[in-house]
Every structure is written in C-alpha cells, then in structure tokens.
C-alpha cells in the first residue's frame, strides 16, 4: 500500500444498457429495464458500494431517427436523480440540463431542490444542446449557432448563480415567539436584465447544502474550454491518447489563472470505457463479441452525423474521403469530436468499418480492453502524468461491465493508494475536494417591502 | 358496517408546516424541516398508512414579499415527488406545473418519467399561474390575461397529450437476435404547429404505465370549469357550503356531456381542513389557539391581495368596504375566491379581522372544527348529497393534524363503509376508479426515416 498518492475521482456515467452501442444486444443486458427505476437503483447501489464519487447522467430533448438500432429513450434526469437520492446515501448525483432550452429559474430551483433532497450531492452538467431533434421540440427555429448558445449559457449561469445566492445563509430566523419567520433584509432580488433573460428573484428556496450544485461542463471547443476554465468545477472530456489528455489538461488548467482560480478548483475527468477480462485475450474476445453485435447501417449513420457528411455511398472497407471531409469546416460543439475521429482514422489508417468499430464502444471516448491490472496501470498513468484527475467511467454494458470494474479494478486502485477505501465526506463537493462556494452578494438588493 | 356505499377519495395536500397560516408557530411544528426530505417522507408514510389516494403538491415560481410572516418556500414538485415515489409504494403523487411558464415537452416528459418511476402513480395539476412574483422570474412581461393563459393551457395540453401518445404501446420490440430495438412504424411525430408552440416529437420516453398522468385542475371561473369538464379527471375546488359544493358539482359534471364524457370521469374534491378534538369544545379551543398565533399585518396583506384592494387604511374591527369592493370587476383566476370571501363576509356579517381569522385556516377552503364523529358526519353529508367525490385534505398543521385525521377520522369513515380499508390497485387511476386512457393517434405521422 502506498499512501500520500494523489487519489483519483470516479463518476459512473449511467446510460441505459451501457456505453457500447450494441450493449442492448449483449446476452446479459435488459433492454426492457431502461425505464424501470429498480434497474437504476441497482446500478447506483453497485457504484456506491464501490465508493465512486458520483453518478453522471447525460441528456437530450429529442430522439434521433435511429430508434430501431439501439436504446435512446431516457428517464428525465431530475426525476431519476431525485429517486436515486433516496435509494443511496453518499454518492453524488450529476444531472444534465440545457441552457439553450430551459429557463434559468426552473433549472436553478430544481438543482437547489435536488441538493436539499440529497443533502448536498447535486451536480449540474451544463450543456448548450446539439442537433435539431431537440431544437424542433421547442419551436420552429433550428439550433442556434455555437457562439450564440455559449453566450446564452454565460448569461444563464449568471442568473442561476444569482438565484442560488439570493438567500443569505442565516435568512431563516423561525422565531415562533416573535412571529418572525425570515429576516426580510436577508432575502435578495437579483433584478437581472440581460439579452436573453429578465429575472427578478429571489429563488423560492433557501441556499442549499453545497451553496450551489457542483458545476460540470464538457465543452471541447475553444469557447467551451474558456467557459469551463471560468465556471466549471469538473470537466468531462473525450481524450483518446495520453498525450492529448495531457495537452487538454494543461490547457484548461492554464486558462484558469486569469479568472482568479487555482488549478485544483477544476477536476478533469476524461471518459473511460474499460472492457475487462481475466486475461488480455479474454478481454479482447469480449470486445470482439460486442463489436460483432453492431449494425453497420447504424454505424454509418452515426459517423455521417458526426462528420457532417453522408458516407452511405462509400465502401465500408475503404478509407474515409479525407479530401471531401477537409472541406467541412463547420464550427459546432462536436467539432473537437469530429477532429478526434479524423485524427484517429489517419493515425491508425482505418477503413470506415474499422473506425465505426473503434468508436462503437464509447462514441469516441477512450476505451481499452485488458485485465484489471492493465486497466489500473493505464488509469494510474493518466493520473500520474497529468492527463486526468479521475475518470467518467463508461462501462460498455450494464450491469456486469460495472460489477467487474467495482469487484476487480477498484480494489486494485485502492491497493495502490489511488482511490478511496471509504467516503470521507457526505457531499459531492467533499468527495471531489472542492470548497463550498461563498455566497456572492454583488448586484443584489433587498426584497421590495410590501 | 355498511357496504355498497359510494367510497370517497382523499388526497393529502402537502404544504410545509400545514394549511393554517400560523401553523409554523404551532408548538408541534418544525419550521426548519420544510426543506428536509425526511419530513416529507414521514408525512407521506402516514398518509399511505391511512390508505389515502394521493399526495397533492401546489406550486408557484416566485416568493411574495411577506416571507417574514410565514413559510412560503417549497421544494420543487418533480424532485420532491420522485423522491417520495421511492419512499412509498402505493399512494398517488400529484404535482403542479404551470402551462404559462413551462415548455410542454419538459412537462410532458417529467410527468411521463415520474409515472414510470412510480409505476403509475403520477398526477398533473394543471395551473396557469397567478401573480407577478412568478411572471417577473420569466421575463419582463406581467402575467398574461386570464383568457390568454387558458388559451395557451389548451394548446399546451394538446401538445402534451400528443407527446404522451407518440409511442404505440408495443413500439419496443427489443429483438436482440434481429437487432431491432424499436419498430419505427410505431413511433410518431406530432408535428404540432400552433399559436404558442411548435413541437415535432416524438417524446423521448415510451408511453407510461397510466398512459398519461391523471389530469387535475382547479379552475373556478367559467373558463376554468369549461377547461375542467373537457380535460380534467380530478378537480380540486374551494367550496364553503354544502349548497355551493352541490351547485359546483352539478355544474362541472353537467358540462361534460358535450365533450362526450360521463360524470364518473371527473372526481370532484373540495379542499377540507379539519381541526380535530376529542370533544367539540377541545376542537374549538385548538382553532382559537391557532388563530391567536396569526399576525393581522399579514392577514390584511393576504386579504388585500385577494380582494385586489388595499385594506390597510380600514379599521380591523369594522366591516369590509363593500361599496368600493363592488367596483372591482377585474377578471382573473382568483375571481371565484374573491366572490367566495365577499359572500362569506356578507352572509355572516364579519368584520375584517373576523374574515381574516375565518380564512386563516385554509385560505378560503372549507374548514371545520369538531370531533372525529362530527367531521366524518360532515364529510359523509357532502358525499351523500352530491357535493363531492372526496376531499383534498388540508390539515391545519403537520404532523399532528394529519396523524389525528388518520388515527381517528379514517377508521370512522372506514367503519361507515365510506373509505377503503386497503388499496385495491397500484396506480392512481386505479385508486380513483379512472380508466387508463386509450392512445389517440390523430394527427400523427410515422417518424421521418433517415
């Protein structure tokens, strides 16, 4: 055992039958269970038994036209996480909400409420949405441009933070004798007037156990990285090589100083998808079996969508049309993922089919197959070499891909002093080693007297 | 014991420390517990032990400027009810959402998700919001006019119902062998284009256990009653006399035929606030003690707000200024409540102070003090004489006002054959004796092929 090592943080990225696109066809998966709360409670309890920092839920507000190929419906994050708050006691609960398709009052209140209900375990994964499947459920207009979405996100978060700070910590007096419930001097309007929002405040809930939810973000573009370094407390990112991971890590942490923040105030957590076997060969075989369950028709759709180019006319066993793809310079939130795919295909000289299979496991996130020792080795390398503060764990299939990780990899990480053997705190901030934010009182006025 | 009697339905209206405005000052109340989930779990379990049909949560999105006088913050309904879904197993879960300040996609999905999570116990209390404390948290515009709000509510519900019906019941095939997850012919766009909303669909969740949540409504105006008779499956209403209750009951049920609905398809549930004593004198004394804890300054504010006239200049122990009030003909959602207060003051010749006290218990809902027998007698009268299908129970203070009802009044109702002795079904629809709605496929097209 070695003590004093930097410990890693681990989220469980919950996603229906698993992160491999064919996971629902895996013999152990339950594709009918994905709207069954007991299924998620079971997974959450396994993750909590493994002492993971948090559960992590992505989300979107539309269905792609490929429902025949895989599970894509999802229970709504606030309702799901609040249910899981009751079924667990320590693990964090990170939910996703879009700043493009929500009002800040609703989102601020829901996370505040979840933070009260879970006694300080809420996290807010801030997204700006992608794709018109979502946009057209909220109006006739297509998805706004990337920069417009981020501009709105910035204003949204200003409002949300104002609302979270609209009650002073000791605003509730509850003096039964005197009949004074709240000290009205300690409740504040925010009177926000901006380009996108006009919000008076205060919030109709007092400040929550964590002050506000842990702010999580996953932007990969330059704008996204800037937003993260200014605002985020945890960053979920797709990095395919240790080198890319180190470069991203240094870049984001390097941007923080100009906002008066220290590098420790952001935890960088690349996605990580382990296919675990007792031998390397067994792990490889598991991966091969999963890939055999993929459907090329869906793979071509997914790749076309990501690369913004219809690839249906190209031979599956030929190379990507790099020349045509190079003409596509559209800026959008998936730009970095787009580049990551192209770099991967070029670096390893992959055919279209091979690229599809390489990215079927976790949609471009880092995946590896190996023994528990090999997987722990790789995770340690990323931590020690400054590419990660931890990982967003993306098991290829549930529940066994998670059970194997908790049963076999977690003890190995614990033996190396790289992961906690028990929770030391009760809030997500405490698990991450993040401070509870001080209340900011800028731009606030006392609530109007009657 | 008498069998074959019409059984009543009972919701527990959950509200921080209770429904009496001074409940937080009651010696048994815990005004610091109102953001503590264990407090609500305790109340929910008492209600479930009493075999009540449902929990009921009102909601608004703003704080009035009277927080010094009483508890008005509230945990957010979706997060609170989803947490309570895990802590209970049979009782219904009715939450409030405003069609004026929400997007239908979000609301439809959250109730669908809550219905999945609770295995069919969700109810949607449809409101159009009141007051600018809410409006100014969602923009610079004041609350829209009553008729505009109802017009939007109608379109909102059309969208929500379309989304709830966008998956055929057997859309999920989950054929692992063939690799067919969903039959794409059984997933439908709604392509709604209206004055307020433009929503493509489908929902990103399959049809829920109840088909859709039980639709609850509380409109009292003519527009509101029309909306209810067209749409609602339960109506929460404020009725102060048996005669008024009978008239409302007959009116709403009488409007249903033109929408092709039968009277049994709506359950009418007046608010009911019992102050329970082992003797009539003890009950009266309890009521008096509670009223002594009220604060006239708040009472005048509340009354001024409801009657849309500043009453601060009038002597508390004099009559209402009926002449000036009669000039106030503003149409709004509280019109009926307004009339109810004026009628009460005139009928009983009350001073301002007396009216404040008479309405402090449950904000104008029917309240009575009495022994368990007297209370059961009165409830029975309302049921037998066609003024109610049940009640929205509004205990004056928690937890003891609820405990007394469950321990003393429920057994009396059960002995009379007026209330269930155990749950017979598992869904809220089953508790209410409502049919699961058939899926409607009007105006839907097959989801666009890629």
């Amino acid at each position: 055992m070695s003590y004093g090592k930097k410990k890693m943080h681990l989220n469980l990225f919950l996603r229906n039958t698993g992160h491999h696109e064919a996971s629902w066809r895996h013999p152990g998966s339950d594709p009918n269970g994905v709207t069954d709360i007991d299924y998620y409670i079971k997974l959450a309890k396994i993750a909590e038994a493994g002492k993971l920092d948090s559960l992590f839920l992505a989300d979107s507000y539309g269905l792609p036209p490929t429902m025949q190929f895989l599970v894509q419906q999802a229970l709504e994050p606030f309702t799901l996480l609040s249910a899981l708050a009751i079924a667990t006691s320590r693990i964090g609960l990170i939910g996703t909400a879009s700043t493009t398709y929500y009002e800040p009052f609703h989102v601020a209140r829901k996370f505040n409420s979840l933070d009260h209900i879970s006694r300080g375990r809420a996290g807010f994964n801030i997204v700006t949405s992608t794709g018109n499947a979502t946009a057209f459920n909220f109006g006739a207009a297509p998805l706004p441009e990337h920069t417009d979405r981020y501009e709105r996100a910035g204003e949204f978060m200003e409002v949300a933070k104002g609302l979270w700070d609209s009650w002073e910590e000791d605003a509730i007096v509850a003096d039964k004798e005197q009949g004074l419930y709240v000290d009205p001097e300690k409740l504040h309007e925010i009177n926000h007037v901006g380009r996108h929002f006009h919000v008076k405040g205060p919030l109709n809930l007092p400040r929550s156990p964590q002050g506000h939810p842990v702010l999580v973000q996953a932007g990969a573009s330059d704008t996204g990285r800037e937003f993260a370094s200014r605002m985020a407390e945890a960053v979920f990112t797709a990095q395919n090589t240790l080198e890319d991971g180190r470069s991203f890590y240094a870049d984001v942490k390097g941007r923080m100083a100009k906002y008066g923040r220290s590098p420790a105030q952001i935890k960088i957590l690349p996605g990580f998808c382990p296919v675990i076997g007792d031998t390397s060969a067994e792990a490889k075989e598991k991966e091969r079996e999963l890939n055999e369950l993929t459907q090329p028709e869906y793979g071509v759709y997914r790749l076309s969508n990501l690369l913004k180019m219809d690839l249906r006319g190209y031979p599956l066993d030929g190379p990507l049309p790099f020349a045509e793809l190079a003409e596509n310079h559209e800026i959008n939130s998936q730009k970095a993922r787009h580049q990551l795919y192209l770099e991967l295909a070029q670096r390893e000289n992959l055919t279209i089919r091979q690229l599809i299979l390489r990215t079927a496991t976790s949609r471009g996130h880092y995946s590896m197959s190996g023994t528990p020792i090999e997987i722990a080795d790789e995770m340690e390398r990323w931590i020690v070499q400054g590419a990660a503060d931890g990982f967003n764990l993306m098991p290829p299939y549930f529940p066994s891909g998670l059970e194997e990780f908790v049963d076999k990899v977690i003890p190995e990480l614990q033996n190396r002093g790289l992961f906690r053997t028990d929770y030391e705190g009760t809030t997500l901030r405490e698990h991450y080693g993040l401070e509870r934010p001080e209340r900011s009182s800028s731009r606030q006025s006392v609530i109007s007297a009657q």
Side-chain angles (χ1 to χ4, degrees), chain A:
Chain A
M1 303 261 271
S2 57
Y3 294 97
K5 273 193 193 169
K6 177 181 166 181
K7 291 210 166 44
M8 70 175 70
H9 300 285
L10 290 173
N11 294 341
L12 171 63
F13 187 168
L14 275 177
R15 182 175 185 268
N16 55 65
T17 54
H19 288 273
H20 194 289
E21 69 186 42
S23 56
W24 74 271
R25 301 181 70 190
H26 185 272
S29 87
D30 177 10
N32 294 307
V34 299
T35 47
D36 182 343
I37 189 61
D38 287 344
Y39 173 79
Y40 294 98
I41 289 175
K42 178 180 170 178
L43 297 179
K45 287 188 167 175
I46 296 169
E48 191 167 66
K51 314 300 179 193
L52 267 59
D53 293 68
S54 192
L55 306 172
F56 177 93
L57 281 183
D59 199 36
S60 71
Y61 313 133
L63 278 185
T66 52
M67 286 297 297
Q68 68 263 47
F69 296 118
L70 71 169
V71 185
Q72 287 172 103
Q73 73 270 34
L75 290 175
E76 189 276 333
F78 290 108
T79 45
L80 176 51
L81 290 177
S82 200
L84 295 180
I86 303 306
T88 60
S89 62
R90 302 296 280 275
I91 197 164
L93 306 158
I94 301 172
T96 294
S98 169
T99 56
T100 306
Y101 294 107
Y102 246 123
E103 289 283 339
F105 190 92
H106 283 313
V107 171
R109 180 166 178 233
K110 284 177 171 60
F111 278 114
N112 174 297
S113 189
L114 180 63
D115 207 42
H116 280 292
I117 288 170
S118 65
R119 304 193 191 289
R121 296 187 280 144
F124 171 13
N125 181 41
I126 306 159
V127 303
T128 66
S129 291
T130 57
N132 286 331
T134 286
F136 293 145
N137 287 329
F138 296 88
L143 189 74
E145 291 299 317
H146 185 258
T147 46
D148 290 342
R149 299 204 307 277
Y150 267 97
E151 197 257 319
R152 178 175 157 120
E155 190 184 332
F156 186 108
M157 292 309 300
E158 199 181 319
V159 174
K161 286 180 160 189
L163 291 170
W164 288 324
D165 286 349
S166 60
W167 292 53
E168 294 187 32
E169 304 280 0
D170 56 353
I172 299 178
V173 181
D175 181 338
K176 290 186 181 185
E177 200 58 46
Q178 299 297 318
L180 182 68
Y181 181 62
V182 155
D183 178 348
E185 298 287 315
K186 294 185 173 174
L187 217 57
H188 302 275
E189 293 179 352
I190 67 167
N191 292 309
H192 175 92
V193 179
R195 186 178 151 207
H196 301 279
F197 306 112
H198 192 117
V199 180
K200 188 174 182 189
L203 194 63
N204 54 353
L205 273 171
R207 205 156 191 262
S208 72
Q210 293 189 111
H212 62 66
V214 172
L215 302 181
V216 184
Q217 202 256 3
S221 65
D222 190 67
T223 315
R225 291 175 190 210
E226 208 57 39
F227 187 90
S229 47
R230 178 159 62 94
M231 187 87 71
E233 302 177 283
V235 171
F236 172 41
T237 178
Q239 301 297 333
N240 258 278
T241 66
L242 181 59
E243 292 65 40
D244 288 348
R246 291 184 62 186
S247 153
F248 178 84
Y249 188 97
D251 179 55
V252 169
K253 299 230 175 187
R255 293 172 191 242
M256 294 173 71
K258 66 174 172 289
Y259 300 110
R261 305 183 70 200
S262 80
Q265 290 180 283
I266 291 186
K267 307 304 167 186
I268 294 188
L269 311 169
F272 181 66
C273 179
V275 183
I276 305 164
D278 288 334
T279 64
S280 305
E282 187 191 295
K284 282 258 172 297
E285 176 59 16
K286 280 188 180 180
E287 192 168 29
R288 195 192 58 74
E289 283 170 7
L290 268 170
N291 282 346
E292 263 186 9
L293 297 172
T294 60
Q295 300 179 82
E297 196 182 344
Y298 173 72
V300 171
Y301 166 81
R302 177 169 55 78
L303 212 55
S304 298
N305 211 31
L306 187 86
L307 300 179
K308 307 280 175 207
M309 178 177 172
D310 189 345
L311 296 170
R312 279 177 298 182
Y314 295 86
L316 267 177
D317 295 309
L320 282 173
F322 286 106
E324 290 89 329
L325 283 164
E327 287 168 21
N328 184 345
H329 289 291
E330 196 182 338
I331 302 287
N332 62 63
S333 72
Q334 293 191 309
K335 186 188 170 204
R337 192 73 62 87
H338 171 168
Q339 284 174 334
L340 189 149
Y341 274 52
L342 294 182
E343 283 165 19
L344 178 66
Q346 279 179 315
R347 189 168 65 237
E348 304 189 12
N349 202 23
L350 304 176
T351 65
I352 291 179
R353 187 193 302 278
Q354 287 165 335
L355 180 62
I356 287 173
L357 291 179
R358 275 296 300 275
T359 56
T361 315
S362 51
R363 290 154 290 133
H365 284 274
Y366 185 60
S367 88
M368 72 173 285
S369 60
T371 63
I373 302 278
E374 288 166 345
I375 286 165
D377 285 348
E378 182 69 1
M379 294 174 85
E380 180 164 9
R381 253 192 303 278
W382 282 58
I383 299 294
V384 170
Q385 297 191 25
D389 296 313
F391 300 92
N392 213 5
L393 183 69
M394 301 170 69
Y397 43 81
F398 289 122
S400 57
L402 171 63
E403 288 166 332
E404 289 161 359
F405 187 88
V406 166
D407 292 346
K408 297 173 180 178
V409 182
I410 292 274
E412 181 61 32
L413 295 172
Q414 288 169 331
N415 285 338
R416 298 180 190 195
L418 287 166
F419 193 63
R420 70 174 68 84
T421 52
D422 203 356
Y423 292 108
E424 287 158 20
T426 60
T427 69
L428 178 54
R429 290 190 176 279
E430 287 167 349
H431 303 338
Y432 277 162
L434 294 168
E435 307 241 313
R436 185 172 187 272
E438 292 283 320
R439 182 179 164 271
S440 159
S441 59
S442 60
R443 293 167 298 95
Q444 297 198 332
S445 57
V446 170
I447 186 168
S448 310
Q450 166 54 17

